[in-house]
């Protein structure tokens, strides 16, 4: 059974800091992993989908890494801005070749101006 | 943003009444999903569809049924609503290949009294 843990649960940083959000999962038989952000009262926005063959995926100031063997993924945010304040969710698939995503409970990020 | 709409956006109903939520997409994507989001549980998959009239159960399917008679519409029905089904419901879509990025709708807030 896939279980997902995100650490820390909440994080507050001053603007301009680089930061790392962590995600661990128990079933490493996955082909990819997705990161999303969710603003309060809104739906989810896809940030990055990283394939197991890639190890890293970048989009602007965001960089995601994936280490299947250790069951870990990290999301690196460079030069944080107040607009980055949101909840960040990690979602590997249930296991194997499936579209059924299992979500962590997220990291609530607050970037102080 | 992916063309996904959900209706209604807010609904209050009473225990024991039937409720149908609608998800409509304009992207012609093959896969459609229904999730619920609750504090402390994160997002959990209820049902998903991999084509017209093709559906499968997710983690928390008890008490819910779905139908997909057209590519663009995916309906979620609570046959007899209970207070435990008070939640925020999200629809998502993804493309023709397995394990592509999932795009989420804005959500429906359902309160069952």
């Amino acid at each position: 059974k896939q279980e997902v843990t995100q650490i820390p649960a909440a994080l507050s940083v001053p603007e301009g800091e680089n930061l790392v959000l962590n995600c661990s999962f128990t079933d490493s038989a996955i082909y990819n992993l997705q990161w999303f952000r969710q603003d309060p009262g809104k739906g989810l926005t896809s940030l990055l989908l990283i394939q197991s063959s890639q190890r890293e995926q970048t989009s602007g100031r965001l960089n995601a890494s994936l280490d299947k063997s250790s069951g870990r993924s990290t999301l690196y945010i460079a030069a944080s801005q107040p607009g980055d304040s949101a909840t960040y969710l990690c979602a590997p698939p249930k296991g194997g070749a499936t579209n059924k995503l299992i979500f962590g409970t997220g990291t609530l990020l607050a970037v102080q101006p | 943003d992916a063309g996904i709409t959900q209706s209604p956006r807010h609904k209050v109903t009473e225990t024991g009444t039937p409720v149908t939520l609608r998800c409509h997409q304009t992207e012609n994507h093959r896969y459609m999903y229904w999730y619920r989001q609750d504090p402390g549980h994160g997002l959990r998959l209820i049902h998903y569809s991999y084509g017209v009239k093709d559906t499968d159960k997710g983690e928390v399917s008890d008490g819910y049924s779905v139908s997909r008679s057209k590519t663009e519409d995916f309906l979620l029905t609570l046959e007899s609503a209970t207070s435990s089904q008070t939640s925020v419901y999200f629809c998502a879509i993804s493309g023709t290949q397995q394990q592509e990025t999932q795009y989420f709708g804005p959500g429906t807030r359902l309160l069952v009294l």
Side-chain angles (χ1 to χ4, degrees), chain A residues 21-63:
Chain A
L21 307 181
N22 296 293
C23 171
S24 61
F25 48 92
T26 54
D27 186 345
S28 61
I30 62 171
Y31 287 80
N32 60 28
L33 182 144
Q34 296 186 41
W35 282 92
F36 298 87
R37 72 174 275 170
Q38 185 176 28
D39 295 290
K42 304 290 187 182
L44 278 69
T45 300
S46 177
L47 296 174
L48 290 163
L49 182 148
I50 178 167
Q51 304 288 351
S52 59
S53 58
Q54 290 181 296
R55 292 190 64 86
E56 284 193 9
Q57 179 73 275
T58 297
S59 176
R61 294 181 293 107
L62 305 179
N63 176 276

Side-chain angles (χ1 to χ4, degrees), chain A residues 30-32 34 36 38 41-46 48-49 51 89 93 96-105, chain B residues 31 33 35 37 40-43 45 48 56-59 90 94 97-106 109:
Chain A
I30 62 171
Y31 287 80
N32 60 28
Q34 296 186 41
F36 298 87
Q38 185 176 28
K42 304 290 187 182
L44 278 69
T45 300
S46 177
L48 290 163
L49 182 148
Q51 304 288 351
L89 298 162
T98 174
N99 290 6
K100 298 179 181 180
L101 296 183
I102 303 296
F103 283 82
T105 50
Chain B
Y31 295 91
Y33 313 80
Y35 293 89
Q37 185 174 36
H41 288 280
L43 279 101
L45 181 66
Y48 82 106
D56 196 5
K57 294 180 179 180
E59 297 175 79
F90 288 101
S94 65
Q97 301 300 319
Q98 268 199 335
Q99 301 169 36
E100 290 190 7
T101 298
Q102 291 189 22
Y103 299 96
F104 281 72
R109 291 186 176 275

Side-chain angles (χ1 to χ4, degrees), chain B residues 29-33 47-57 66-71 73-75:
Chain B
H29 279 3
R30 176 182 176 186
Y31 295 91
M32 299 186 75
Y33 313 80
H47 281 282
Y48 82 106
S49 170
Y50 48 97
V52 174
K53 294 188 167 57
D54 294 322
T55 64
D56 196 5
K57 294 180 179 180
V66 290
S67 65
R68 190 170 178 199
S69 59
K70 300 186 288 186
T71 298
D73 289 326
F74 192 32
L75 303 180

Side-chain angles (χ1 to χ4, degrees), chain B residues 7 13 26 28 38 49 60-61 86 89-90 112:
Chain B
S7 58
T13 192
T26 58
N28 199 35
D38 305 288
S49 170
V60 290
S61 58
T86 291
Y89 292 85
F90 288 101
V112 183

